[in-house]
Amino acid sequence: MIKKRVTIIFLLGLTAVALYFCYVIAEPFMKPIITAAVIAIIFYPVHARLHKAVRSPSGAALLSTVTVILIIVIPAIALVHAIAGDLRDAYESLSLRSAAGGGWTAYLAHLTDAPLAWIGRHVNFSGFDLRADLRSRLEQASAGLLGEAGGVAGNLASFLVNAAITFFALFFLFREGKAIRRQTAAILPLDPARTERLLSVVSDAVVANVHGVLAVGAAQGTLAGAAFWALGLPSPILWGAVTALCSLVPVVGSGIVWAPASLILLISGHWVKALVMLGWGGGVVSVADHIIRPFVVRGRVKMNTLFLVFALLGGVEAFGILGLFIGPMVFSITLALFSMLREEGRAWHLSWDEPKPAPPSEGATT
């Protein structure tokens, strides 16, 4: 018995060391792998249908991976092309106006004359030169943008490498998905019902958050597009779609669209419309995320709303965009584990409370 215990302890220690080194090796690729796992769960019904038509596991996995790439890449290219065209037109229009006004800094400073004069009538700014401060900040912002432009190529290369790893892992998850699920179930020291329960919790959390992402994107895109249309900005449908896509971005989210739109309106001299866009974006479009997402996700993930909000916010803080899926998934797994522990505790108490068989009397014969 002592030798067996020593063997088990040695194996557990060796396994812990091996798992640590596995983590060190896999850590640089964790985000692409997790992204691939999320995509595999989302598109598994599509893969299952394709697998029925294509009997070869490798062929079906390849076809499913190519399908996912086309679903993601083609709309993204079309969207980027349309955005680039609109931004180019807006830049050319503003460049012509700024050239007539003596350059960007002088043009922007001139545009702020009316708002600053109105503010100056109500607030005493004596001893503080707002125009000089604005000019200084604009020059700092221009220098910062030029500095950031140098890192775009490096970020693009990193993105392409991560995308390649993601789709490479996705192919094997599609091909080996069932085998990985069986191996996971075999490793876990749980009965089949509880193993299936844990795996279902993961799947439900991912699918629920996909529904939440789609609902938030649709709501924010519609609200932003309506604002663009009402304020007379070009391409409201396009920028509504861009807002829906940007709703995925942590922290800033839809602000990537409505904040620059407010700035463009201000630069164009429409500062009342700029304030309307700023108030609508910050007070309505952005707030929709905090109302709609928990409502939609809670329908499938059985979790307290407060826990769900913290799971979403904390997940985004820790993992970025992936945190929208990882945060609720971790909380759901934790709650499921607590539920299983409670069930085990009840079973343990029941086993102790059961009446023990009476010992045989001294005179009883066998």
Side-chain angles (χ1 to χ4, degrees), residues 171-244:
F171 168 79
F172 285 98
L173 287 174
F174 277 142
R175 194 181 74 174
E176 310 291 343
K178 288 184 178 180
I180 293 172
R181 191 180 179 107
R182 285 195 302 268
Q183 290 168 3
T184 303
I187 292 171
L188 296 177
L190 299 173
D191 58 75
R194 286 180 175 171
T195 301
E196 187 61 31
R197 186 167 147 196
L198 273 181
L199 296 176
S200 297
V201 162
V202 174
S203 177
D204 287 345
V206 171
V207 172
N209 278 281
V210 170
H211 293 167
V213 165
L214 294 176
V216 170
Q220 291 192 336
T222 302
L223 291 170
F228 270 67
W229 174 79
L231 296 174
L233 289 169
S235 307
I237 296 176
L238 169 64
W239 290 106
V242 175
T243 304

Side-chain angles (χ1 to χ4, degrees), residues 21 25 98 113 212 237 281:
F21 281 107
I25 293 169
S98 67
D113 283 343
I237 296 176

Side-chain angles (χ1 to χ4, degrees), residues 47-340:
H47 172 67
R49 291 187 178 183
L50 291 174
H51 199 359
K52 289 180 180 179
V54 181
R55 294 297 180 182
S56 168
S58 297
L62 180 61
L63 184 59
S64 299
T65 305
V66 172
T67 302
V68 171
I69 292 173
L70 293 176
I71 290 173
I72 294 173
V73 171
I74 290 178
I77 292 174
L79 198 59
V80 168
H81 180 72
I83 293 169
D86 266 27
L87 290 178
R88 184 178 60 251
D89 294 341
Y91 178 78
E92 289 174 356
S93 174
L94 292 172
S95 294
L96 290 174
R97 295 187 184 185
S98 67
W104 279 102
T105 305
Y107 177 65
L108 292 175
H110 174 70
L111 285 175
T112 57
D113 283 343
L116 291 179
W118 182 85
I119 294 172
R121 288 196 296 269
H122 299 83
V123 181
N124 182 18
F125 284 118
S126 59
F128 182 67
D129 191 347
L130 283 175
R131 180 185 289 274
D133 184 67
L134 176 63
R135 185 185 296 271
S136 173
R137 292 186 181 276
L138 287 173
E139 290 173 353
Q140 290 174 7
S142 300
L145 288 174
L146 290 174
E148 289 293 330
V152 170
N155 291 334
L156 180 61
S158 175
F159 172 78
L160 292 175
V161 170
N162 285 335
I165 294 171
T166 297
F167 291 121
F168 181 75
L170 182 63
F171 168 79
F172 285 98
L173 287 174
F174 277 142
R175 194 181 74 174
E176 310 291 343
K178 288 184 178 180
I180 293 172
R181 191 180 179 107
R182 285 195 302 268
Q183 290 168 3
T184 303
I187 292 171
L188 296 177
L190 299 173
D191 58 75
R194 286 180 175 171
T195 301
E196 187 61 31
R197 186 167 147 196
L198 273 181
L199 296 176
S200 297
V201 162
V202 174
S203 177
D204 287 345
V206 171
V207 172
N209 278 281
V210 170
H211 293 167
V213 165
L214 294 176
V216 170
Q220 291 192 336
T222 302
L223 291 170
F228 270 67
W229 174 79
L231 296 174
L233 289 169
S235 307
I237 296 176
L238 169 64
W239 290 106
V242 175
T243 304
L245 185 63
C246 289
S247 66
L248 284 168
V249 180
V251 185
V252 289
S254 60
I256 296 175
V257 177
W258 56 258
S262 303
L263 181 60
I264 290 173
L265 286 169
L266 178 63
I267 293 172
S268 303
H270 305 290
W271 62 278
V272 175
K273 288 184 177 181
L275 291 175
V276 171
M277 174 62 81
L278 191 64
W280 180 262
V284 178
V285 179
S286 294
V287 172
D289 186 358
H290 306 296
I291 296 173
I292 295 173
R293 194 188 304 273
F295 176 78
V296 173
V297 173
R298 197 165 61 109
R300 186 154 185 163
V301 176
K302 306 304 179 184
M303 190 186 302
N304 181 278
T305 304
L306 181 63
F307 281 3
L308 183 56
V309 170
F310 278 118
L312 290 167
L313 295 177
V316 168
E317 178 68 23
F319 301 101
I321 292 177
L322 285 176
L324 295 174
F325 304 95
I326 297 176
M329 183 176 69
V330 170
F331 269 58
S332 298
I333 291 173
T334 304
L335 292 175
L337 291 172
F338 273 117
S339 176
M340 292 179 189

